[in-house]
Amino acid sequence: MISRKKTIEMIDKIDTMFPDAECELVHDNPFELTIAVLLSAQCTDNLVNRVTKDLFKKYRTPEDYLSVSQSELENDIRSIGLFRNKAKNIQKLCGDVIDRFDGTIPGNYDDLVSLAGVGRKTANVVLAVAFGVPRIAVDTHVERVTKRLGITRYKDSVLEVEKTLMLKVPEERWSKTHHQLIFFGRYHCTARSPKCETCPLLEDCREGQKRMKRKDA
């Protein structure tokens, strides 16, 4: 793995590339964000935003989601992968939010992960975006680019990636770095066709250098 100093140098370059990186899930409040992040599992933010454009007009409160059958909610999110399981989790989450948290999304990690369908990544996103708590949420983009760049190890688990980033990146930069790494992975260092030839990190990226050598061979 590369050093903390080199990690910060790389993050600084990514910061220059994507200074305005932010959460791309459209939402107006912590509750809508939680639903949107839950829906985004194994799904693109663009598709989620297309679905929630109408979904958030029909369902504005936890009570609204519980006022319909699960099959009706399934139909409203049918274009999203795993829609049956997600509909079930949304309704269970809404019931818990009403029964245990007075109808509002809790602002601490332990309470968030106790909700149906809310795992570590979802909780970290909600805390960082909705409540301004410094967090690093590791999704497929963050995991991929940090391993390619050597910031983390290829054998690291998602939790190990998160912990390594928290050690190497100053806490006040956690949330911003999370979004910038996502943008870097989504729009530049993509899964299938990373833009290595124009990447400002190429001189320090072993993975990119290997890919460029294979192209030249």
Side-chain angles (χ1 to χ4, degrees):
M1 288 191 296
I2 62 173
S3 67
R4 184 177 187 274
K5 181 175 180 291
K6 180 59 70 175
T7 296
I8 297 302
E9 289 176 5
M10 287 185 164
I11 298 297
D12 285 342
K13 290 181 180 179
I14 294 174
D15 176 47
T16 301
M17 296 171 70
F18 302 104
D20 301 317
E22 60 183 2
C23 179
E24 292 191 303
L25 291 169
V26 178
H27 64 281
D28 287 331
N29 53 61
F31 176 61
E32 287 187 353
L33 176 63
T34 304
I35 298 298
V37 180
L38 189 156
L39 290 172
S40 72
Q42 300 183 38
C43 181
T44 67
D45 286 1
N46 283 336
L47 177 55
V48 172
N49 287 337
R50 290 200 297 272
V51 170
T52 56
K53 183 178 180 180
D54 293 324
L55 191 74
F56 290 163
K57 291 177 183 176
K58 180 176 179 179
Y59 305 98
R60 298 183 181 276
T61 66
E63 289 83 0
D64 290 339
Y65 285 97
L66 295 176
S67 69
V68 301
S69 65
Q70 182 178 321
S71 60
E72 182 174 343
L73 179 54
E74 287 176 5
N75 192 57
D76 290 332
I77 63 172
R78 185 172 293 274
S79 59
I80 287 180
L82 307 175
F83 66 91
R84 289 189 179 88
N85 192 51
K86 289 176 181 179
K88 179 181 178 181
N89 281 334
I90 286 172
Q91 290 192 317
K92 189 173 188 310
L93 178 150
C94 288
D96 286 343
V97 166
I98 293 168
D99 294 340
R100 296 165 51 207
F101 304 109
D102 297 321
T104 60
I105 294 295
N108 69 81
Y109 178 83
D110 289 336
D111 285 340
L112 280 168
V113 295
S114 74
L115 298 173
V118 177
R120 188 175 188 87
K121 186 202 81 170
T122 297
N124 283 339
V125 171
V126 172
L127 287 171
V129 177
F131 296 101
V133 179
R135 289 280 169 163
I136 293 180
V138 179
D139 70 351
T140 55
H141 297 298
V142 174
E143 182 179 9
R144 181 178 68 254
V145 300
T146 58
K147 289 180 176 181
R148 281 181 176 173
L149 293 172
I151 296 173
T152 58
R153 301 172 299 182
Y154 270 102
K155 67 178 182 178
D156 284 350
S157 66
V158 170
L159 182 58
E160 287 170 330
V161 169
E162 180 186 329
K163 289 182 176 179
T164 298
L165 285 170
M166 290 170 68
L167 287 172
K168 290 185 172 182
V169 178
E171 183 174 348
E172 65 270 16
R173 296 184 66 175
W174 286 355
S175 297
K176 189 68 173 178
T177 295
H178 152 71
H179 292 303
Q180 290 173 330
L181 288 171
I182 288 175
F183 270 51
F184 184 70
R186 184 176 289 160
Y187 301 113
H188 185 83
C189 189
T190 58
R192 294 185 179 180
S193 302
K195 301 173 183 176
C196 300
E197 62 278 1
T198 61
C199 186
L201 304 179
L202 181 60
E203 64 179 338
D204 295 312
C205 179
R206 290 183 181 178
E207 175 73 18
Q209 291 168 10
K210 289 179 183 177
R211 287 174 177 269
M212 292 302 292
K213 283 182 180 178
R214 289 200 294 268
K215 279 188 177 181
D216 294 338

Coordinates of all heavy atoms in Angstrom, one line a residue, residues 34-94:
T34 N -32.7 8.3 3.1 CA -32.6 6.9 3.6 C -33.3 5.9 2.6 O -32.7 4.9 2.2 CB -33.2 6.8 5.0 OG1 -32.6 7.7 5.9 CG2 -33.0 5.3 5.5
I35 N -34.5 6.3 2.1 CA -35.2 5.5 1.2 C -34.4 5.4 -0.1 O -34.2 4.3 -0.7 CB -36.6 6.0 0.9 CG1 -37.4 6.0 2.1 CG2 -37.3 5.2 -0.2 CD1 -37.7 4.7 2.8
A36 N -33.8 6.5 -0.6 CA -33.1 6.5 -1.9 C -31.8 5.6 -1.8 O -31.5 4.9 -2.7 CB -32.7 7.9 -2.2
V37 N -31.1 5.7 -0.7 CA -29.9 4.9 -0.5 C -30.2 3.5 -0.4 O -29.6 2.6 -1.0 CB -29.1 5.4 0.7 CG1 -27.8 4.5 0.8 CG2 -28.7 6.9 0.6
L38 N -31.3 3.1 0.3 CA -31.8 1.8 0.3 C -32.1 1.2 -1.0 O -31.7 0.1 -1.4 CB -33.0 1.7 1.3 CG -33.5 0.3 1.7 CD1 -34.3 0.4 3.0 CD2 -34.4 -0.3 0.6
L39 N -32.7 2.0 -1.9 CA -33.1 1.6 -3.2 C -31.9 1.5 -4.1 O -31.9 0.7 -5.1 CB -34.1 2.6 -3.8 CG -35.5 2.7 -3.3 CD1 -36.2 3.8 -3.9 CD2 -36.2 1.3 -3.6
S40 N -30.8 2.2 -3.8 CA -29.6 2.3 -4.7 C -28.7 1.0 -4.6 O -27.8 0.9 -5.5 CB -28.8 3.5 -4.4 OG -28.1 3.4 -3.1
A41 N -29.0 0.1 -3.7 CA -28.2 -1.1 -3.6 C -28.2 -1.9 -5.0 O -29.3 -2.2 -5.5 CB -28.6 -2.0 -2.5
Q42 N -27.0 -2.1 -5.5 CA -26.9 -2.8 -6.8 C -27.7 -2.1 -7.9 O -28.3 -2.8 -8.8 CB -27.3 -4.3 -6.7 CG -26.5 -5.1 -5.7 CD -26.9 -6.5 -5.6 OE1 -27.2 -7.2 -6.6 NE2 -26.8 -7.1 -4.4
C43 N -27.7 -0.8 -7.9 CA -28.5 0.0 -8.9 C -27.9 1.3 -9.0 O -27.2 1.8 -8.1 CB -29.9 0.1 -8.3 SG -31.1 1.0 -9.3
T44 N -28.0 2.0 -10.2 CA -27.4 3.3 -10.4 C -28.2 4.4 -9.8 O -29.4 4.3 -9.6 CB -27.2 3.6 -11.9 OG1 -28.5 3.7 -12.5 CG2 -26.5 2.4 -12.6
D45 N -27.5 5.4 -9.4 CA -28.2 6.6 -8.8 C -29.2 7.2 -9.8 O -30.2 7.7 -9.5 CB -27.2 7.7 -8.4 CG -26.4 7.3 -7.1 OD1 -26.7 6.2 -6.6 OD2 -25.6 8.1 -6.7
N46 N -28.8 7.2 -11.1 CA -29.7 7.7 -12.1 C -31.0 7.0 -12.2 O -32.1 7.7 -12.3 CB -29.0 7.7 -13.5 CG -28.0 8.7 -13.7 OD1 -28.0 9.8 -13.1 ND2 -27.0 8.5 -14.6
L47 N -31.0 5.7 -12.1 CA -32.2 4.9 -12.1 C -33.1 5.2 -10.9 O -34.3 5.4 -10.9 CB -32.0 3.4 -12.3 CG -33.2 2.5 -12.2 CD1 -34.2 2.9 -13.3 CD2 -32.8 1.1 -12.4
V48 N -32.4 5.3 -9.7 CA -33.1 5.6 -8.5 C -33.8 6.9 -8.6 O -34.9 7.1 -8.2 CB -32.1 5.6 -7.3 CG1 -32.8 6.1 -6.0 CG2 -31.6 4.1 -7.0
N49 N -33.1 7.9 -9.1 CA -33.7 9.3 -9.2 C -34.9 9.3 -10.1 O -35.8 10.0 -9.9 CB -32.6 10.3 -9.7 CG -31.6 10.6 -8.7 OD1 -31.8 10.5 -7.5 ND2 -30.4 11.0 -9.1
R50 N -34.8 8.5 -11.2 CA -36.0 8.4 -12.1 C -37.2 7.8 -11.4 O -38.3 8.3 -11.6 CB -35.7 7.6 -13.3 CG -34.7 8.3 -14.3 CD -34.7 7.7 -15.7 NE -34.4 6.3 -15.8 CZ -33.1 5.9 -15.9 NH1 -32.1 6.7 -16.0 NH2 -32.9 4.6 -16.0
V51 N -36.9 6.8 -10.5 CA -38.0 6.2 -9.8 C -38.5 7.1 -8.7 O -39.8 7.2 -8.5 CB -37.6 4.8 -9.2 CG1 -38.6 4.3 -8.2 CG2 -37.3 3.8 -10.3
T52 N -37.6 7.7 -7.9 CA -38.1 8.5 -6.8 C -38.7 9.8 -7.2 O -39.4 10.4 -6.4 CB -36.9 8.8 -5.8 OG1 -35.8 9.5 -6.6 CG2 -36.3 7.5 -5.2
K53 N -38.5 10.2 -8.4 CA -39.2 11.5 -8.9 C -40.7 11.4 -8.7 O -41.3 12.3 -8.2 CB -38.9 11.7 -10.4 CG -39.5 13.0 -10.9 CD -39.1 13.2 -12.4 CE -39.7 14.5 -12.9 NZ -39.3 14.7 -14.3
D54 N -41.3 10.2 -9.0 CA -42.7 10.0 -8.8 C -43.0 9.4 -7.4 O -44.0 9.7 -6.7 CB -43.3 9.1 -9.8 CG -43.3 9.8 -11.2 OD1 -43.5 11.0 -11.3 OD2 -43.1 9.1 -12.2
L55 N -42.1 8.6 -6.9 CA -42.3 7.9 -5.7 C -42.4 8.9 -4.5 O -43.3 8.7 -3.7 CB -41.1 6.9 -5.4 CG -41.2 6.0 -4.2 CD1 -42.2 4.8 -4.6 CD2 -39.9 5.4 -3.8
F56 N -41.5 9.9 -4.5 CA -41.6 10.9 -3.4 C -42.7 11.8 -3.5 O -43.0 12.6 -2.5 CB -40.2 11.6 -3.3 CG -39.1 10.8 -2.9 CD1 -37.7 11.2 -3.1 CD2 -39.3 9.5 -2.2 CE1 -36.7 10.4 -2.7 CE2 -38.2 8.8 -1.8 CZ -36.9 9.2 -2.0
K57 N -43.4 11.8 -4.6 CA -44.7 12.6 -4.7 C -45.8 11.8 -4.1 O -46.7 12.4 -3.4 CB -45.0 13.0 -6.1 CG -44.0 13.9 -6.8 CD -44.4 14.1 -8.3 CE -43.4 15.1 -8.9 NZ -43.7 15.2 -10.4
K58 N -45.8 10.5 -4.3 CA -46.9 9.7 -3.8 C -46.7 9.4 -2.3 O -47.6 9.3 -1.5 CB -46.9 8.4 -4.6 CG -48.0 7.4 -4.1 CD -48.0 6.2 -5.0 CE -49.1 5.2 -4.6 NZ -49.1 4.0 -5.5
Y59 N -45.4 9.1 -1.9 CA -45.1 8.8 -0.5 C -44.3 9.9 0.2 O -43.1 10.0 -0.2 CB -44.4 7.4 -0.4 CG -45.1 6.3 -1.1 CD1 -44.7 5.9 -2.4 CD2 -46.1 5.6 -0.5 CE1 -45.3 4.9 -3.1 CE2 -46.7 4.5 -1.1 CZ -46.3 4.2 -2.4 OH -46.9 3.1 -3.1
R60 N -44.8 10.6 1.1 CA -44.1 11.7 1.7 C -43.7 11.4 3.2 O -42.8 12.1 3.7 CB -44.9 13.0 1.7 CG -45.2 13.4 0.2 CD -45.9 14.8 0.2 NE -46.2 15.2 -1.2 CZ -45.4 15.8 -1.9 NH1 -44.2 16.2 -1.5 NH2 -45.7 16.2 -3.2
T61 N -44.3 10.4 3.8 CA -44.1 10.1 5.2 C -44.0 8.6 5.4 O -44.5 7.8 4.5 CB -45.2 10.6 6.1 OG1 -46.4 9.9 5.8 CG2 -45.4 12.1 5.9
P62 N -43.5 8.1 6.5 CA -43.5 6.7 6.8 C -44.9 6.1 6.7 O -45.1 5.0 6.3 CB -42.9 6.6 8.2 CG -42.0 7.8 8.3 CD -42.7 8.9 7.5
E63 N -45.9 6.9 7.2 CA -47.2 6.4 7.2 C -47.8 6.2 5.8 O -48.5 5.2 5.6 CB -48.1 7.5 7.9 CG -47.9 7.5 9.4 CD -46.8 8.4 9.8 OE1 -46.1 9.0 8.9 OE2 -46.5 8.6 11.1
D64 N -47.3 7.0 4.9 CA -47.8 6.8 3.5 C -47.3 5.5 2.9 O -48.1 4.8 2.2 CB -47.2 7.9 2.6 CG -47.8 9.3 2.9 OD1 -48.9 9.3 3.5 OD2 -47.2 10.3 2.5
Y65 N -46.1 5.0 3.2 CA -45.6 3.8 2.7 C -46.4 2.6 3.3 O -46.5 1.5 2.7 CB -44.1 3.6 3.0 CG -43.2 4.4 2.1 CD1 -42.8 5.7 2.5 CD2 -42.9 4.0 0.9 CE1 -42.0 6.4 1.7 CE2 -42.0 4.7 0.0 CZ -41.6 6.0 0.5 OH -40.8 6.7 -0.3
L66 N -46.9 2.8 4.6 CA -47.6 1.7 5.2 C -49.1 1.7 4.9 O -49.8 0.8 5.3 CB -47.5 1.9 6.7 CG -46.0 1.7 7.3 CD1 -46.0 1.9 8.8 CD2 -45.5 0.3 6.9
S67 N -49.6 2.7 4.2 CA -51.0 2.8 3.8 C -51.3 2.0 2.6 O -52.5 1.9 2.2 CB -51.4 4.3 3.6 OG -50.8 4.8 2.4
V68 N -50.3 1.4 1.9 CA -50.6 0.6 0.7 C -50.1 -0.8 1.0 O -49.3 -1.1 1.9 CB -49.8 1.2 -0.5 CG1 -50.3 2.6 -0.8 CG2 -48.3 1.2 -0.3
S69 N -50.5 -1.7 0.1 CA -50.0 -3.1 0.2 C -48.6 -3.1 -0.3 O -48.1 -2.3 -1.0 CB -50.9 -4.0 -0.6 OG -50.7 -3.6 -2.0
Q70 N -47.9 -4.2 0.1 CA -46.5 -4.4 -0.3 C -46.5 -4.6 -1.8 O -45.6 -4.1 -2.5 CB -45.9 -5.6 0.3 CG -44.4 -5.9 -0.1 CD -43.8 -7.1 0.6 OE1 -44.0 -7.3 1.8 NE2 -43.0 -7.8 -0.1
S71 N -47.5 -5.2 -2.4 CA -47.5 -5.4 -3.9 C -47.6 -4.1 -4.6 O -47.1 -3.9 -5.7 CB -48.6 -6.4 -4.3 OG -49.9 -5.8 -3.9
E72 N -48.4 -3.1 -4.0 CA -48.5 -1.8 -4.7 C -47.2 -1.1 -4.7 O -46.8 -0.5 -5.6 CB -49.6 -1.0 -4.0 CG -49.8 0.4 -4.7 CD -50.9 1.2 -4.1 OE1 -51.8 0.6 -3.4 OE2 -51.0 2.4 -4.3
L73 N -46.5 -1.2 -3.5 CA -45.2 -0.5 -3.4 C -44.2 -1.2 -4.4 O -43.4 -0.5 -5.0 CB -44.7 -0.6 -2.0 CG -43.3 0.1 -1.7 CD1 -43.2 1.5 -2.2 CD2 -43.0 0.0 -0.2
E74 N -44.3 -2.5 -4.4 CA -43.4 -3.2 -5.4 C -43.6 -2.7 -6.8 O -42.6 -2.5 -7.5 CB -43.7 -4.7 -5.3 CG -43.2 -5.4 -4.0 CD -43.6 -6.9 -4.0 OE1 -44.2 -7.4 -5.0 OE2 -43.4 -7.6 -3.0
N75 N -44.8 -2.5 -7.2 CA -45.1 -2.1 -8.5 C -44.6 -0.7 -8.8 O -44.1 -0.4 -9.9 CB -46.6 -2.1 -8.7 CG -47.0 -1.9 -10.2 OD1 -46.6 -2.6 -11.1 ND2 -47.8 -0.8 -10.5
D76 N -44.5 0.1 -7.7 CA -44.0 1.5 -7.9 C -42.5 1.6 -8.0 O -42.0 2.5 -8.5 CB -44.4 2.4 -6.6 CG -45.9 2.7 -6.6 OD1 -46.5 2.7 -7.7 OD2 -46.5 2.8 -5.5
I77 N -41.8 0.5 -7.6 CA -40.4 0.5 -7.7 C -39.9 -0.7 -8.5 O -38.7 -1.1 -8.5 CB -39.7 0.4 -6.3 CG1 -40.1 -0.9 -5.6 CG2 -40.1 1.7 -5.5 CD1 -39.3 -1.1 -4.2
R78 N -40.8 -1.2 -9.4 CA -40.5 -2.5 -10.1 C -39.3 -2.4 -11.0 O -38.6 -3.4 -11.3 CB -41.7 -2.8 -10.9 CG -41.6 -4.2 -11.6 CD -42.9 -4.6 -12.3 NE -43.9 -4.8 -11.2 CZ -44.1 -6.0 -10.7 NH1 -43.3 -7.0 -11.0 NH2 -45.0 -6.2 -9.7
S79 N -39.0 -1.2 -11.5 CA -37.8 -1.1 -12.4 C -36.5 -1.2 -11.7 O -35.4 -1.2 -12.4 CB -37.9 0.3 -13.2 OG -37.9 1.4 -12.3
I80 N -36.5 -1.2 -10.4 CA -35.2 -1.3 -9.6 C -35.0 -2.7 -9.2 O -35.9 -3.4 -8.9 CB -35.4 -0.4 -8.4 CG1 -35.2 1.1 -8.8 CG2 -34.3 -0.7 -7.4 CD1 -35.3 2.1 -7.6
G81 N -33.7 -3.1 -9.3 CA -33.4 -4.5 -9.0 C -33.7 -4.8 -7.5 O -33.7 -3.9 -6.6
L82 N -34.0 -6.1 -7.3 CA -34.4 -6.5 -5.9 C -35.6 -5.8 -5.4 O -35.7 -5.6 -4.2 CB -33.2 -6.4 -5.0 CG -31.9 -7.0 -5.5 CD1 -30.8 -6.7 -4.5 CD2 -32.0 -8.6 -5.6
F83 N -36.5 -5.4 -6.2 CA -37.6 -4.5 -5.8 C -38.5 -5.2 -4.8 O -39.1 -4.5 -3.9 CB -38.5 -4.1 -7.0 CG -39.2 -5.2 -7.7 CD1 -40.5 -5.5 -7.4 CD2 -38.6 -5.9 -8.8 CE1 -41.2 -6.5 -8.0 CE2 -39.3 -6.9 -9.4 CZ -40.6 -7.2 -9.0
R84 N -38.7 -6.5 -4.8 CA -39.6 -7.1 -3.8 C -39.0 -7.0 -2.4 O -39.7 -6.7 -1.5 CB -39.8 -8.6 -4.2 CG -40.7 -8.8 -5.4 CD -41.1 -10.3 -5.6 NE -42.0 -10.4 -6.7 CZ -41.6 -10.6 -8.0 NH1 -40.2 -10.7 -8.2 NH2 -42.4 -10.8 -9.0
N85 N -37.7 -7.4 -2.3 CA -37.1 -7.3 -1.0 C -37.0 -5.9 -0.5 O -37.1 -5.6 0.7 CB -35.7 -7.9 -1.1 CG -35.0 -8.2 0.2 OD1 -35.6 -8.8 1.1 ND2 -33.8 -7.7 0.4
K86 N -36.7 -5.0 -1.4 CA -36.6 -3.5 -1.0 C -37.9 -3.0 -0.6 O -38.0 -2.2 0.4 CB -36.0 -2.7 -2.2 CG -34.5 -3.0 -2.5 CD -34.0 -2.3 -3.7 CE -32.5 -2.6 -3.9 NZ -32.0 -1.9 -5.1
A87 N -39.0 -3.4 -1.2 CA -40.3 -2.9 -0.8 C -40.6 -3.4 0.6 O -41.2 -2.7 1.5 CB -41.4 -3.4 -1.8
K88 N -40.3 -4.7 0.8 CA -40.5 -5.3 2.2 C -39.7 -4.6 3.2 O -40.3 -4.2 4.3 CB -40.1 -6.8 2.1 CG -40.3 -7.5 3.4 CD -39.8 -9.0 3.3 CE -39.9 -9.7 4.6 NZ -39.5 -11.1 4.5
N89 N -38.5 -4.3 2.9 CA -37.6 -3.6 3.9 C -38.1 -2.1 4.1 O -38.0 -1.6 5.3 CB -36.2 -3.6 3.4 CG -35.4 -4.9 3.7 OD1 -35.8 -5.6 4.6 ND2 -34.4 -5.2 2.9
I90 N -38.5 -1.5 3.1 CA -39.0 -0.1 3.2 C -40.2 0.0 4.2 O -40.3 0.8 5.1 CB -39.4 0.5 1.9 CG1 -38.1 0.8 1.1 CG2 -40.2 1.8 2.0 CD1 -38.4 1.3 -0.4
Q91 N -41.1 -0.9 4.0 CA -42.3 -0.9 4.9 C -41.9 -1.3 6.4 O -42.5 -0.7 7.3 CB -43.4 -1.8 4.4 CG -44.0 -1.3 3.1 CD -45.3 -2.0 2.7 OE1 -45.3 -3.3 2.8 NE2 -46.3 -1.3 2.3
K92 N -41.0 -2.3 6.5 CA -40.6 -2.6 7.9 C -39.8 -1.4 8.5 O -40.0 -1.1 9.7 CB -39.7 -3.8 7.8 CG -39.4 -4.4 9.2 CD -38.7 -5.7 9.2 CE -38.5 -6.3 10.6 NZ -38.0 -5.4 11.6
L93 N -39.0 -0.8 7.7 CA -38.2 0.4 8.2 C -39.2 1.5 8.6 O -39.0 2.1 9.7 CB -37.3 0.9 7.1 CG -36.5 2.2 7.3 CD1 -35.2 2.1 6.5 CD2 -37.2 3.5 6.9
C94 N -40.2 1.7 7.8 CA -41.2 2.8 8.1 C -41.9 2.5 9.4 O -42.2 3.4 10.3 CB -42.2 3.0 7.0 SG -41.4 3.8 5.5

